[in-house]
Amino acid sequence: MPNQNTHSSYFSVVIPLYNKEKEIKRAIDSVLNQTFQDFELIVVNDESTDNSLSVVESIQDSRITIISQENKGEFGARNTGIINSHAPYIAFLDGDDEWKPEFLETIYRLTLEFPQVGLYCTSRLYQYSSKSIRGKHTSGINRDGYGVIQRPFLSWAEDRMAPMSCSSSVVPRKVFEKVGLFQLKRGAGGDWEMWCRILLHYQIAYAAKYMVLVHSEGKNRLSNIRSNLSMKEHYVTELFQREDNYIQEYMRAHSNDIERYLDFIEPVHLSLCINSGGDRREIMHIIHRIHHPFSYWKNIVYGIIMAHLPCRYRDLVSCTFLRIYNLFT
């Protein structure tokens, strides 16, 4: 991993690119239009088969570096970006998402005020269609705040959504040197595994400001490809089952928080199983592993309904649930 030098930028922005010819310019423009301009931008072309590379090559800016590689998946592309970056802080943006102009400036202020933490992030909005934006997400314990989240695993579980995402996170270079790079996993959930590894060693600094727009309708997102959603165990569950001393020590010291968090992971796994076409036996097996069923009764009811529906009807029912949810949020 290259070392920081006196001439490096403050941020290295890493964008993994695979077949996003219609969205990539929007993502890059959102970086180039930042109010904080001290950055380098690394676009890792992960063997795109459409015109994505040509779109990036047509953008003239000396801060952009393009790296093309054989297909290694989204996490492999991020690792390539990290390895070839130079700045002390590494920011991630998916090729179909975008930042508000003040994102890097907000993170910059966090790094000055909380230099000891291992991850910086902001709130984000989720766009599911051109007419429907759902989000306004802030972390549970630090809901109205700005600063360090003292109990991030508990916050994550209580708020039912991660405080961070790949497009809203910035990680100091020294953190990757300690915890390692992203695992080369093809399925969804590999990013959560990385954030958990970081949280086992560091705290998070968080700004409850909506600085990121996540375009969840993107066709090539990991979470929109059914084959990426099928897994026997969620990657986070696998992480906490390891025998590594530092993991077991952390779990003993924060047993209540981790228990609450792991119980939250099962409904997440349930949703992945449903969306990947899991059969009734698989779905019910996950439901029976939820330790506090009353806290997740909505997920359980939803799972039972889906378990008894043929796969061809699940998308229709799921969309109906989402539309009803959006009417009341």
Side-chain angles (χ1 to χ4, degrees), residues 128 132 134 317-327 329:
Y128 291 94
S132 175
R134 169 178 172 259
V317 174
S318 180
C319 289
T320 302
F321 270 98
L322 181 60
R323 288 171 183 168
I324 294 173
Y325 179 88
N326 283 337
L327 288 176
T329 57

Side-chain angles (χ1 to χ4, degrees), residues 165-204:
S165 72
C166 284
S167 290
S168 67
S169 297
V170 178
V171 180
R173 171 178 302 280
K174 64 182 181 181
V175 171
F176 289 118
E177 294 171 351
K178 183 177 183 66
V179 306
L181 301 176
F182 288 93
Q183 292 193 41
L184 297 182
K185 296 179 179 293
R186 288 283 176 174
D191 52 342
W192 281 22
E193 192 268 351
M194 168 57 79
W195 310 143
C196 287
R197 268 192 282 150
I198 293 174
L199 292 181
L200 290 169
H201 297 281
Y202 301 94
Q203 291 180 310
I204 301 176

Side-chain angles (χ1 to χ4, degrees), residues 81-100:
I82 295 168
I83 292 169
N84 288 277
S85 64
H86 301 86
Y89 296 95
I90 302 171
F92 299 99
L93 178 63
D94 285 349
D96 41 18
D97 295 338
E98 57 185 307
W99 288 339
K100 287 190 175 182

Side-chain angles (χ1 to χ4, degrees), residues 62-112:
S62 60
R63 292 169 296 182
I64 299 177
T65 299
I66 303 172
I67 301 173
S68 291
Q69 65 178 22
E70 64 179 20
N71 187 274
K72 296 181 180 179
E74 187 172 316
F75 300 116
R78 289 197 185 98
N79 287 345
T80 296
I82 295 168
I83 292 169
N84 288 277
S85 64
H86 301 86
Y89 296 95
I90 302 171
F92 299 99
L93 178 63
D94 285 349
D96 41 18
D97 295 338
E98 57 185 307
W99 288 339
K100 287 190 175 182
E102 301 83 10
F103 174 74
L104 286 181
E105 183 176 346
T106 301
I107 297 296
Y108 171 69
R109 292 174 179 171
L110 284 173
T111 64
L112 296 182

Side-chain angles (χ1 to χ4, degrees), residues 242-295:
R242 296 179 195 169
E243 298 298 327
D244 301 47
N245 289 334
Y246 77 94
I247 295 177
Q248 297 304 316
E249 289 176 4
Y250 189 98
M251 292 178 67
R252 285 192 291 270
H254 305 85
S255 57
N256 181 64
D257 291 6
I258 298 301
E259 180 182 344
R260 293 278 301 279
Y261 177 65
L262 289 177
D263 202 39
F264 157 73
I265 289 297
E266 293 300 349
V268 174
H269 188 198
L270 174 66
S271 178
L272 295 177
C273 183
I274 291 170
N275 293 338
S276 65
D279 61 29
R280 186 171 69 87
R281 180 184 56 81
E282 293 174 312
I283 293 173
M284 297 306 295
H285 176 68
I286 296 172
I287 288 174
H288 288 312
R289 293 196 317 201
I290 297 175
H291 294 111
H292 298 88
F294 183 77
S295 298

